[in-house]
Amino acid sequence: MSDAPLCAAPNPHPRAPRYTIPGGACDCHFHVSVGPSPLVPERSYTPPDLSITDYRHMRDTLGLSRGVIVQASPHGTDNRTTLAATGGDSDMLAVVVIGESTSHRDLLAMADQGAVGTRANLLFSSNAKLDDLTGLTHRIADVGWHLQMLCDVSRMDDFEELVRSSSVPIVIDHMGHVPASKGVAEPGFQTLLRLLDGGKVWVKLSGAYRLCDPPYAEAAPMAQALVVANPERLVWGCDWPHPAISGPMPEDGALLDLLFDWADPETAHQILVRNPEALYGFPKWENARG
């Protein structure tokens, strides 16, 4: 039995955001834990028992239309819970975690179930082994996936080399996970800003509470610097149910409000709607609505 600590559950009654959320808005980062996938002994934390129904309640309250579920580290490389959560719906896609034994046929089968990328988690333990990230990008290129990375770019000396050698787009979680106390001038964060112009990197404007304490004002300069650098390469995610954080549980509606503090309404619309369509392949919202 694992001694990984149990994470707190989020507020089951979130408030709506203060702003009007556009139709087609996408939450590009969330997790669920209830499903057929067991928790692996190697995990860093134990998630609360939350299902896709719990998530959809939160998503509907925030006024979001689409979502991308991300395989969390406690389930390792068993993606059944994550893929089951998509339900074959056009409004829900998935990012999975694969291992060395995952075959090309497995990749194609997961793509048929709504998988659009794979995640490399460099911060939390699981049974996934990550020895060759460049090789991983070559493996997923044939199925049209991207590589999503949970990493602190201020601690990755080879980050730029990885991006330049990658065969696929690279999506960086939580604004690069650089502590806000290091500031915008931190060299790894400056590298991330520069690479946003190169056509391969995307960044999630998410996880402000992983960078600093409430009310997350210290994260604003970093988020705004990313918006200035290239707003066409940014997406937003709530990171529900906010696992493995040391501070207080964030309010989901307030997290969505932050986006509108960091970007003007037109740019926020682009980040919530048009950019996820470009990155994940969601149908254009006006076409999807008929």
Side-chain angles (χ1 to χ4, degrees), residues 201-227:
V201 172
W202 296 75
V203 176
K204 293 189 180 183
L205 291 179
S206 59
Y209 51 85
R210 299 190 183 277
L211 313 185
C212 60
D213 295 329
Y216 318 123
E218 280 187 286
M222 305 181 87
Q224 290 164 341
L226 289 164
V227 171

Side-chain angles (χ1 to χ4, degrees), residues 156-267:
M156 282 194 68
D157 295 336
D158 59 347
F159 176 61
E160 185 165 7
E161 179 183 350
L162 170 66
V163 170
R164 298 199 183 282
S165 64
S166 174
S167 306
V168 300
I170 303 288
V171 180
I172 301 300
D173 287 346
H174 310 327
M175 296 186 274
H177 221 287
V178 177
S181 59
K182 293 186 177 182
V184 173
E186 197 284 321
F189 189 75
Q190 283 293 310
T191 297
L192 181 62
L193 292 175
R194 185 174 68 254
L195 289 173
L196 271 179
D197 274 338
K200 282 188 178 179
V201 172
W202 296 75
V203 176
K204 293 189 180 183
L205 291 179
S206 59
Y209 51 85
R210 299 190 183 277
L211 313 185
C212 60
D213 295 329
Y216 318 123
E218 280 187 286
M222 305 181 87
Q224 290 164 341
L226 289 164
V227 171
V228 170
N230 193 348
E232 295 182 357
R233 287 278 165 166
L234 305 176
V235 293
W236 177 88
C238 69
D239 192 28
W240 184 96
H242 323 298
I245 59 173
S246 57
M249 185 59 61
E251 167 56 58
D252 293 288
L255 293 178
L256 187 46
D257 286 337
L258 286 175
L259 175 61
F260 291 84
D261 294 338
W262 300 334
D264 62 72
E266 175 57 30
T267 303

Side-chain angles (χ1 to χ4, degrees), residues 91-103:
D91 70 344
M92 195 77 73
L93 297 173
V95 172
V96 297
V97 172
I98 64 175
E100 291 299 323
S101 63
T102 308
S103 69

Side-chain angles (χ1 to χ4, degrees), residues 11-129:
N11 178 7
H13 305 292
R15 71 161 176 84
R18 298 192 310 267
Y19 298 91
T20 300
I21 306 304
C26 184
D27 173 8
C28 298
H29 195 109
F30 75 95
H31 317 283
V32 299
S33 56
V34 174
S37 304
L39 300 176
V40 298
E42 303 92 332
R43 66 189 183 275
S44 297
Y45 64 88
T46 299
D49 289 339
L50 292 164
S51 70
I52 190 63
T53 300
D54 298 314
Y55 168 73
R56 283 189 178 274
H57 167 71
M58 186 282 299
R59 195 183 84 173
D60 291 346
T61 300
L62 267 58
L64 301 165
S65 306
R66 304 188 275 204
V68 179
I69 181 171
V70 175
Q71 173 83 342
S73 61
H75 289 304
T77 57
D78 187 331
N79 296 282
R80 288 176 294 167
T81 293
T82 291
L83 292 170
T86 68
D89 295 336
S90 61
D91 70 344
M92 195 77 73
L93 297 173
V95 172
V96 297
V97 172
I98 64 175
E100 291 299 323
S101 63
T102 308
S103 69
H104 187 68
R105 179 178 294 181
D106 293 332
L107 299 183
L108 293 174
M110 288 188 283
D112 286 342
Q113 296 176 76
V116 292
T118 190
R119 189 189 200 198
N121 189 330
L122 306 185
L123 300 182
F124 294 99
S125 300
S126 75
N127 65 354
K129 307 304 180 188

Side-chain angles (χ1 to χ4, degrees), residues 24 132 251 270:
D132 182 8
E251 167 56 58
Q270 177 178 354

